[in-house]
Short mmCIF file of all heavy atoms in Angstrom, two decimals:
data_model
loop_
_atom_site.label_atom_id
_atom_site.label_comp_id
_atom_site.label_asym_id
_atom_site.label_seq_id
_atom_site.Cartn_x
_atom_site.Cartn_y
_atom_site.Cartn_z
N ILE O 386 14.13 2.33 -3.54
CA ILE O 386 12.93 3.08 -3.92
C ILE O 386 12.00 3.21 -2.72
O ILE O 386 11.64 2.35 -2.06
CB ILE O 386 12.13 2.34 -5.11
CG1 ILE O 386 13.06 2.26 -6.40
CG2 ILE O 386 10.89 3.03 -5.43
CD1 ILE O 386 12.51 1.37 -7.44
N PHE O 387 11.63 4.49 -2.46
CA PHE O 387 10.77 4.86 -1.37
C PHE O 387 9.39 5.22 -1.80
O PHE O 387 9.31 6.15 -2.57
CB PHE O 387 11.43 6.03 -0.53
CG PHE O 387 10.93 6.14 0.92
CD1 PHE O 387 11.67 6.42 1.99
CD2 PHE O 387 9.46 6.05 1.17
CE1 PHE O 387 11.10 6.57 3.24
CE2 PHE O 387 9.03 6.24 2.37
CZ PHE O 387 9.94 6.47 3.47
N VAL O 388 8.33 4.47 -1.41
CA VAL O 388 7.00 4.69 -1.92
C VAL O 388 6.03 5.24 -0.75
O VAL O 388 6.01 4.58 0.26
CB VAL O 388 6.37 3.50 -2.57
CG1 VAL O 388 5.02 3.79 -3.00
CG2 VAL O 388 7.21 2.98 -3.68
N ASP O 389 5.57 6.38 -0.90
CA ASP O 389 4.55 6.93 0.11
C ASP O 389 3.29 7.15 -0.57
O ASP O 389 3.19 7.80 -1.59
CB ASP O 389 5.15 8.17 0.78
CG ASP O 389 4.37 8.63 1.92
OD1 ASP O 389 4.45 8.22 3.07
OD2 ASP O 389 3.39 9.43 1.57
N LEU O 390 2.24 6.56 -0.06
CA LEU O 390 0.87 6.71 -0.63
C LEU O 390 0.28 8.11 -0.43
O LEU O 390 0.41 8.74 0.60
CB LEU O 390 -0.14 5.65 -0.22
CG LEU O 390 0.31 4.19 -0.23
CD1 LEU O 390 -0.77 3.20 0.25
CD2 LEU O 390 0.67 3.86 -1.72
N ASP O 391 -0.40 8.63 -1.56
CA ASP O 391 -1.03 9.93 -1.41
C ASP O 391 -2.55 9.63 -1.37
O ASP O 391 -3.05 8.73 -2.14
CB ASP O 391 -0.81 10.74 -2.71
CG ASP O 391 0.73 11.05 -2.97
OD1 ASP O 391 1.44 11.16 -2.06
OD2 ASP O 391 1.19 10.99 -4.19
N GLY O 392 -3.17 10.30 -0.37
CA GLY O 392 -4.73 10.08 -0.41
C GLY O 392 -5.11 8.90 0.54
O GLY O 392 -6.34 8.55 0.55
N PHE O 393 -4.11 8.21 1.09
CA PHE O 393 -4.52 7.03 1.96
C PHE O 393 -5.25 7.52 3.24
O PHE O 393 -6.23 6.74 3.58
CB PHE O 393 -3.29 6.26 2.30
CG PHE O 393 -3.57 5.03 3.08
CD1 PHE O 393 -4.24 3.94 2.59
CD2 PHE O 393 -3.31 4.95 4.47
CE1 PHE O 393 -4.54 2.83 3.49
CE2 PHE O 393 -3.61 3.88 5.37
CZ PHE O 393 -4.32 2.78 4.77
N LYS O 394 -4.89 8.60 3.72
CA LYS O 394 -5.64 9.00 5.00
C LYS O 394 -7.07 9.36 4.69
O LYS O 394 -7.89 8.96 5.50
CB LYS O 394 -4.93 10.27 5.51
CG LYS O 394 -5.57 10.85 6.82
CD LYS O 394 -4.83 12.06 7.28
CE LYS O 394 -5.32 12.55 8.68
NZ LYS O 394 -6.70 12.91 8.61
N GLU O 395 -7.38 9.88 3.58
CA GLU O 395 -8.81 10.07 3.22
C GLU O 395 -9.49 8.82 3.06
O GLU O 395 -10.73 8.68 3.47
CB GLU O 395 -8.93 10.80 1.79
CG GLU O 395 -8.49 12.25 1.88
CD GLU O 395 -6.98 12.47 2.07
OE1 GLU O 395 -6.25 11.53 1.79
OE2 GLU O 395 -6.52 13.62 2.27
N ILE O 396 -8.97 7.61 2.57
CA ILE O 396 -9.59 6.44 2.57
C ILE O 396 -10.02 5.96 3.95
O ILE O 396 -11.08 5.50 4.28
CB ILE O 396 -8.68 5.35 1.87
CG1 ILE O 396 -8.45 5.78 0.45
CG2 ILE O 396 -9.30 3.95 1.96
CD1 ILE O 396 -9.59 5.55 -0.47
N ASN O 397 -8.94 6.05 4.91
CA ASN O 397 -9.34 5.75 6.18
C ASN O 397 -10.39 6.53 6.90
O ASN O 397 -11.18 6.17 7.80
CB ASN O 397 -8.05 5.70 7.09
CG ASN O 397 -7.33 4.42 7.08
OD1 ASN O 397 -7.84 3.40 6.80
ND2 ASN O 397 -5.92 4.58 7.31
N ASP O 398 -10.37 7.94 6.55
CA ASP O 398 -11.43 8.85 7.16
C ASP O 398 -12.76 8.50 6.65
O ASP O 398 -13.78 8.63 7.42
CB ASP O 398 -11.00 10.16 6.82
CG ASP O 398 -9.70 10.58 7.64
OD1 ASP O 398 -9.44 10.00 8.51
OD2 ASP O 398 -9.09 11.66 7.16
N VAL O 399 -12.91 8.20 5.28
CA VAL O 399 -14.17 7.95 4.72
C VAL O 399 -14.79 6.60 5.00
O VAL O 399 -15.95 6.40 5.35
CB VAL O 399 -14.13 8.15 3.16
CG1 VAL O 399 -15.50 7.80 2.49
CG2 VAL O 399 -13.88 9.61 2.86
N PHE O 400 -13.91 5.70 4.89
CA PHE O 400 -14.26 4.28 5.26
C PHE O 400 -13.65 3.79 6.52
O PHE O 400 -12.99 4.59 7.24
CB PHE O 400 -13.74 3.24 4.01
CG PHE O 400 -14.15 3.77 2.71
CD1 PHE O 400 -13.39 4.47 1.82
CD2 PHE O 400 -15.39 3.37 2.22
CE1 PHE O 400 -13.81 4.78 0.67
CE2 PHE O 400 -15.80 3.74 1.06
CZ PHE O 400 -15.08 4.49 0.09
N ASP O 401 -13.88 2.65 6.89
CA ASP O 401 -13.29 2.08 8.19
C ASP O 401 -11.95 1.59 7.87
O ASP O 401 -11.40 1.45 6.77
CB ASP O 401 -14.09 1.06 8.89
CG ASP O 401 -14.36 0.02 7.92
OD1 ASP O 401 -13.51 -0.48 7.12
OD2 ASP O 401 -15.42 -0.74 8.09
N HIS O 402 -11.25 1.22 9.02
CA HIS O 402 -9.76 0.74 8.90
C HIS O 402 -9.84 -0.64 8.14
O HIS O 402 -8.79 -0.96 7.66
CB HIS O 402 -9.12 0.68 10.22
CG HIS O 402 -8.82 2.05 10.77
ND1 HIS O 402 -7.79 2.71 10.40
CD2 HIS O 402 -9.35 2.92 11.66
CE1 HIS O 402 -7.62 3.93 11.00
NE2 HIS O 402 -8.67 3.96 11.88
N GLY O 403 -10.85 -1.34 8.15
CA GLY O 403 -10.89 -2.53 7.41
C GLY O 403 -10.63 -2.36 5.95
O GLY O 403 -9.96 -3.18 5.22
N VAL O 404 -11.29 -1.34 5.41
CA VAL O 404 -11.06 -0.97 4.00
C VAL O 404 -9.61 -0.61 3.73
O VAL O 404 -9.06 -0.83 2.79
CB VAL O 404 -12.11 0.12 3.55
CG1 VAL O 404 -11.78 0.56 2.11
CG2 VAL O 404 -13.60 -0.41 3.66
N GLY O 405 -9.12 0.30 4.77
CA GLY O 405 -7.72 0.74 4.49
C GLY O 405 -6.82 -0.43 4.57
O GLY O 405 -5.83 -0.44 3.80
N ASP O 406 -7.09 -1.38 5.33
CA ASP O 406 -6.19 -2.62 5.36
C ASP O 406 -6.26 -3.39 3.99
O ASP O 406 -5.28 -3.70 3.51
CB ASP O 406 -6.63 -3.63 6.32
CG ASP O 406 -6.28 -3.12 7.82
OD1 ASP O 406 -5.51 -2.24 7.93
OD2 ASP O 406 -6.78 -3.72 8.83
N GLU O 407 -7.49 -3.40 3.34
CA GLU O 407 -7.65 -3.98 2.05
C GLU O 407 -6.90 -3.23 1.06
O GLU O 407 -6.18 -3.72 0.11
CB GLU O 407 -9.10 -3.99 1.69
CG GLU O 407 -9.93 -5.21 2.40
CD GLU O 407 -9.40 -6.50 2.01
OE1 GLU O 407 -9.01 -6.77 0.83
OE2 GLU O 407 -9.28 -7.37 2.95
N VAL O 408 -6.86 -1.97 1.00
CA VAL O 408 -6.13 -1.05 0.26
C VAL O 408 -4.65 -1.43 0.32
O VAL O 408 -3.91 -1.51 -0.71
CB VAL O 408 -6.30 0.37 0.46
CG1 VAL O 408 -5.33 1.41 -0.37
CG2 VAL O 408 -7.80 0.73 0.03
N LEU O 409 -4.04 -1.52 1.55
CA LEU O 409 -2.62 -1.78 1.72
C LEU O 409 -2.23 -3.07 1.04
O LEU O 409 -1.21 -3.29 0.46
CB LEU O 409 -2.26 -1.75 3.21
CG LEU O 409 -2.30 -0.35 3.90
CD1 LEU O 409 -2.07 -0.38 5.41
CD2 LEU O 409 -1.39 0.75 3.26
N ARG O 410 -3.17 -4.12 1.28
CA ARG O 410 -2.98 -5.48 0.67
C ARG O 410 -2.89 -5.32 -0.87
O ARG O 410 -2.05 -5.97 -1.46
CB ARG O 410 -4.00 -6.45 1.23
CG ARG O 410 -3.65 -6.97 2.60
CD ARG O 410 -4.52 -8.13 3.03
NE ARG O 410 -5.83 -7.74 3.39
CZ ARG O 410 -6.27 -7.49 4.64
NH1 ARG O 410 -5.50 -7.73 5.61
NH2 ARG O 410 -7.55 -7.14 4.88
N GLU O 411 -3.80 -4.61 -1.29
CA GLU O 411 -3.85 -4.34 -2.86
C GLU O 411 -2.70 -3.72 -3.39
O GLU O 411 -2.09 -4.09 -4.38
CB GLU O 411 -5.13 -3.59 -3.26
CG GLU O 411 -5.24 -3.21 -4.69
CD GLU O 411 -5.37 -4.53 -5.53
OE1 GLU O 411 -5.67 -5.56 -4.98
OE2 GLU O 411 -5.06 -4.43 -6.83
N VAL O 412 -2.14 -2.62 -2.72
CA VAL O 412 -0.97 -2.04 -2.99
C VAL O 412 0.23 -2.99 -2.98
O VAL O 412 1.10 -3.00 -3.89
CB VAL O 412 -0.62 -0.79 -2.06
CG1 VAL O 412 0.81 -0.19 -2.32
CG2 VAL O 412 -1.63 0.38 -2.34
N ALA O 413 0.22 -3.78 -1.94
CA ALA O 413 1.33 -4.86 -1.87
C ALA O 413 1.36 -5.69 -3.03
O ALA O 413 2.35 -6.19 -3.52
CB ALA O 413 1.26 -5.65 -0.61
N SER O 414 0.21 -6.09 -3.47
CA SER O 414 0.03 -7.01 -4.54
C SER O 414 0.58 -6.30 -5.86
O SER O 414 1.28 -6.84 -6.71
CB SER O 414 -1.41 -7.41 -4.75
OG SER O 414 -1.56 -8.19 -5.94
N ARG O 415 0.23 -5.07 -6.05
CA ARG O 415 0.65 -4.28 -7.23
C ARG O 415 2.02 -4.01 -7.18
O ARG O 415 2.76 -4.10 -8.32
CB ARG O 415 -0.09 -2.98 -7.30
CG ARG O 415 -1.73 -3.16 -7.51
CD ARG O 415 -2.39 -1.82 -7.56
NE ARG O 415 -3.85 -1.99 -7.66
CZ ARG O 415 -4.74 -0.94 -7.70
NH1 ARG O 415 -4.43 0.28 -7.91
NH2 ARG O 415 -6.07 -1.30 -7.71
N LEU O 416 2.64 -3.91 -6.12
CA LEU O 416 4.14 -3.60 -5.88
C LEU O 416 4.83 -4.99 -6.51
O LEU O 416 5.82 -5.02 -7.17
CB LEU O 416 4.56 -3.35 -4.42
CG LEU O 416 4.17 -1.91 -4.05
CD1 LEU O 416 4.47 -1.73 -2.54
CD2 LEU O 416 4.86 -0.92 -4.87
N ASN O 417 4.36 -6.09 -5.87
CA ASN O 417 4.99 -7.31 -6.20
C ASN O 417 4.87 -7.60 -7.72
O ASN O 417 5.75 -8.21 -8.32
CB ASN O 417 4.32 -8.55 -5.46
CG ASN O 417 4.94 -8.83 -4.19
OD1 ASN O 417 6.22 -8.61 -3.94
ND2 ASN O 417 4.09 -9.01 -3.13
N ALA O 418 3.81 -7.12 -8.38
CA ALA O 418 3.56 -7.51 -9.78
C ALA O 418 4.36 -6.60 -10.69
O ALA O 418 4.64 -6.89 -11.93
CB ALA O 418 2.11 -7.23 -10.16
N ASN O 419 5.11 -5.47 -10.10
CA ASN O 419 5.65 -4.63 -11.01
C ASN O 419 7.24 -4.40 -10.79
O ASN O 419 7.88 -3.48 -11.19
CB ASN O 419 4.97 -3.24 -10.98
CG ASN O 419 3.80 -3.30 -11.64
OD1 ASN O 419 3.71 -3.11 -12.94
ND2 ASN O 419 2.66 -3.38 -10.90
N ILE O 420 7.80 -5.25 -9.82
CA ILE O 420 9.22 -5.29 -9.55
C ILE O 420 9.87 -6.32 -10.34
O ILE O 420 9.28 -7.27 -11.00
CB ILE O 420 9.47 -5.34 -8.01
CG1 ILE O 420 8.98 -6.79 -7.49
CG2 ILE O 420 8.95 -4.17 -7.42
CD1 ILE O 420 9.26 -6.99 -6.08
N ARG O 421 11.24 -6.30 -10.43
CA ARG O 421 11.95 -7.32 -11.10
C ARG O 421 12.21 -8.62 -10.13
O ARG O 421 12.13 -8.51 -8.96
CB ARG O 421 13.34 -6.87 -11.47
CG ARG O 421 13.42 -5.52 -12.28
CD ARG O 421 14.73 -5.16 -12.46
NE ARG O 421 15.44 -4.94 -11.20
CZ ARG O 421 16.80 -4.71 -10.97
NH1 ARG O 421 17.50 -4.61 -12.05
NH2 ARG O 421 17.35 -4.68 -9.84
N GLN O 422 12.42 -9.69 -10.80
CA GLN O 422 12.69 -10.89 -10.06
C GLN O 422 14.06 -10.69 -9.31
O GLN O 422 15.07 -10.24 -9.84
CB GLN O 422 12.85 -12.08 -10.95
CG GLN O 422 13.15 -13.53 -10.22
CD GLN O 422 13.11 -14.63 -11.15
OE1 GLN O 422 13.09 -14.42 -12.36
NE2 GLN O 422 13.19 -15.85 -10.53
N GLY O 423 14.01 -10.94 -8.05
CA GLY O 423 15.29 -10.69 -7.21
C GLY O 423 15.18 -9.43 -6.38
O GLY O 423 15.84 -9.24 -5.40
N ASP O 424 14.37 -8.38 -6.76
CA ASP O 424 14.05 -7.25 -5.99
C ASP O 424 13.27 -7.65 -4.61
O ASP O 424 12.47 -8.61 -4.76
CB ASP O 424 13.32 -6.17 -6.83
CG ASP O 424 14.02 -5.60 -8.00
OD1 ASP O 424 15.28 -5.94 -7.94
OD2 ASP O 424 13.44 -5.10 -8.85
N VAL O 425 13.69 -6.90 -3.69
CA VAL O 425 12.98 -7.24 -2.40
C VAL O 425 12.11 -5.87 -2.00
O VAL O 425 12.50 -4.85 -1.96
CB VAL O 425 14.09 -7.32 -1.29
CG1 VAL O 425 13.31 -7.41 0.05
CG2 VAL O 425 14.95 -8.47 -1.49
N VAL O 426 10.86 -6.19 -1.83
CA VAL O 426 9.88 -5.20 -1.45
C VAL O 426 9.35 -5.44 -0.05
O VAL O 426 9.06 -6.58 0.35
CB VAL O 426 8.63 -5.11 -2.55
CG1 VAL O 426 7.93 -6.46 -2.57
CG2 VAL O 426 7.64 -4.04 -2.16
N GLY O 427 9.11 -4.34 0.75
CA GLY O 427 8.79 -4.42 2.05
C GLY O 427 7.92 -3.27 2.54
O GLY O 427 7.98 -2.20 1.84
N ARG O 428 7.19 -3.50 3.52
CA ARG O 428 6.46 -2.43 4.16
C ARG O 428 7.21 -1.80 5.33
O ARG O 428 7.54 -2.44 6.26
CB ARG O 428 5.11 -2.90 4.76
CG ARG O 428 4.17 -1.84 5.15
CD ARG O 428 2.93 -2.40 5.84
NE ARG O 428 2.08 -1.32 6.53
CZ ARG O 428 1.09 -1.73 7.37
NH1 ARG O 428 0.93 -2.90 7.79
NH2 ARG O 428 0.39 -0.69 7.76
N PHE O 429 7.58 -0.48 5.12
CA PHE O 429 8.48 0.12 6.11
C PHE O 429 7.59 0.61 7.29
O PHE O 429 8.04 0.52 8.55
CB PHE O 429 9.05 1.25 5.58
CG PHE O 429 10.09 2.03 6.44
CD1 PHE O 429 11.34 1.31 6.78
CD2 PHE O 429 9.75 3.23 6.97
CE1 PHE O 429 12.24 2.01 7.61
CE2 PHE O 429 10.78 3.75 7.87
CZ PHE O 429 11.96 3.09 8.16
N GLY O 430 6.26 0.98 7.16
CA GLY O 430 5.34 1.27 8.26
C GLY O 430 4.24 2.03 7.59
O GLY O 430 4.39 2.79 6.68
N GLY O 431 3.17 2.06 8.24
CA GLY O 431 2.03 2.82 7.85
C GLY O 431 1.68 2.57 6.39
O GLY O 431 1.44 1.45 5.90
#
């Protein structure tokens, strides 16, 4: 499964990159909460 975020660039443009980092951490948490046990989730980049 390949996940690419929509609207993330606008978050970085409106807010600073610190907020963007918080968004990425929140997305990572939501991904972990919605996969099966044994599935492997990772950040490919950006």
Side-chain angles (χ1 to χ4, degrees):
I386 301 175
F387 195 138
V388 178
D389 184 88
L390 301 182
D391 305 320
F393 180 72
K394 183 177 183 301
E395 287 76 8
I396 294 286
N397 271 338
D398 290 342
V399 174
F400 303 96
D401 59 27
H402 286 280
V404 173
D406 290 345
E407 285 296 322
V408 171
L409 292 177
R410 280 191 283 266
E411 175 63 19
V412 169
S414 176
R415 295 180 185 184
L416 290 174
N417 273 321
N419 287 279
I420 60 176
R421 307 172 307 170
Q422 184 176 4
D424 292 344
V425 178
V426 58
R428 182 185 179 199
F429 186 72

